[in-house]
Amino acid sequence: VLWKKRMTLLFLLPFFSLFWLLLLFPEGCGKGNTRDETEGKPRSEAAMNTEQNKARKTGIIGGTFDPPHNAHLAIAEAARIQYGLDRVLMMPSGHSYFKDHQKRQVTPAPIRLKMTELACMEYPYITASDLEVRREGNTYTCETLQQLAALYPDDCLYFIVGADTIAAMDTWYHPQQVFDNAVILAAV
C-alpha cells in the first residue's frame, strides 16, 4: 500500500502514561498558531477571525462516541497539550459503515452529538462538531478531512486515533487521502 511506504516515524513521547506516534507530516503543517504564547490561552474569537494568514493547529478525534467517555477526552486533551494544538474537534460519526454489522444498534447521531457536546463542556479547547452528523449517507474520514481543509485552509489538521486504528486504516475508504490531509497522531 502506497501510504505505508510514505509513513515515517518521527518520535515517540510519553505523556500521562500515554505514548504518541507522530506520523507523516503533510506539506504546509507547522505554520504559526493562534495561541497567545505569553499567556498560553486561546485568543478571542474576534482576534482569531482577523488573523486570516495565521494557521491554527486543529486536532480531530472522531468516532461513534456511543457514548463518549473519559478516555476520549483524556486522549484529546493529552494530544492538545503534547502537540500544542489550538483546539480539538470531537466529531461523532454520522453513519459509520464499520458499524453496520454489529449486533447492538448504534444510538441515533443527534443523541450521540448531544452526549458529545455535554462531555466537552468542561474543556475550553475541545468542541463537539456536527460536521459528520449533518452529512447524508456513509461517513468517510477522507471526506471529512477534505471538508475541514476547505473550511479552514490555513489550519494544519491533526487526526487523533488509537493504536488499534492504525493497523486498520488501510481498510478505510481512500486511506491515502487521510494521510495527505492530516498529521496522524496515534495514542498507544
Side-chain angles (χ1 to χ4, degrees):
V1 178
L2 177 63
W3 65 265
K4 284 185 179 180
K5 292 177 184 173
R6 292 189 57 221
M7 189 176 357
T8 56
L9 175 63
L10 297 179
F11 51 88
L12 182 66
L13 292 174
F15 187 81
F16 295 128
S17 76
L18 294 175
F19 291 91
W20 292 98
L21 296 175
L22 176 61
L23 307 171
L24 189 65
F25 272 107
E27 283 186 40
C29 282
K31 298 180 283 187
N33 64 45
T34 58
R35 184 171 310 284
D36 183 337
E37 298 300 335
T38 60
E39 298 286 328
K41 298 177 184 173
R43 295 181 186 157
S44 71
E45 193 66 32
M48 285 185 194
N49 290 337
T50 62
E51 298 176 347
Q52 296 298 322
N53 295 328
K54 297 268 187 169
R56 286 183 290 195
K57 294 170 76 174
T58 299
I60 301 102
I61 183 168
T64 309
F65 299 135
D66 193 14
H69 51 72
N70 289 337
H72 294 127
L73 294 163
I75 288 170
E77 183 67 1
R80 184 192 68 77
I81 292 168
Q82 186 73 33
Y83 289 98
L85 305 179
D86 295 295
R87 63 181 174 168
V88 176
L89 304 176
M90 279 189 72
M91 193 153 318
S93 62
H95 178 259
S96 174
Y97 60 99
F98 284 120
K99 304 289 182 176
D100 283 344
H101 303 290
Q102 288 189 343
K103 289 181 183 180
R104 186 177 83 81
Q105 189 173 19
V106 175
T107 303
I111 295 170
R112 292 184 290 108
L113 174 62
K114 186 63 175 174
M115 288 190 293
T116 304
E117 289 170 345
L118 291 170
C120 294
M121 285 179 61
E122 294 186 31
Y123 295 85
Y125 299 95
I126 302 174
T127 307
S129 171
D130 68 350
L131 191 69
E132 288 190 353
V133 169
R134 287 184 286 128
R135 190 177 311 139
E136 300 263 337
N138 287 340
T139 301
Y140 299 109
T141 301
C142 65
E143 293 174 354
T144 299
L145 292 173
Q146 288 172 335
Q147 192 173 1
L148 287 168
L151 286 170
Y152 309 109
D154 294 324
D155 284 16
C156 184
L157 303 177
Y158 291 75
F159 188 60
I160 304 163
V161 298
D164 58 326
T165 301
I166 289 293
M169 286 179 87
D170 64 337
T171 66
W172 288 13
Y173 183 74
H174 298 298
Q176 184 60 49
Q177 291 179 13
V178 174
F179 284 90
D180 288 346
N181 285 298
V183 174
I184 307 301
L185 298 179
V188 295

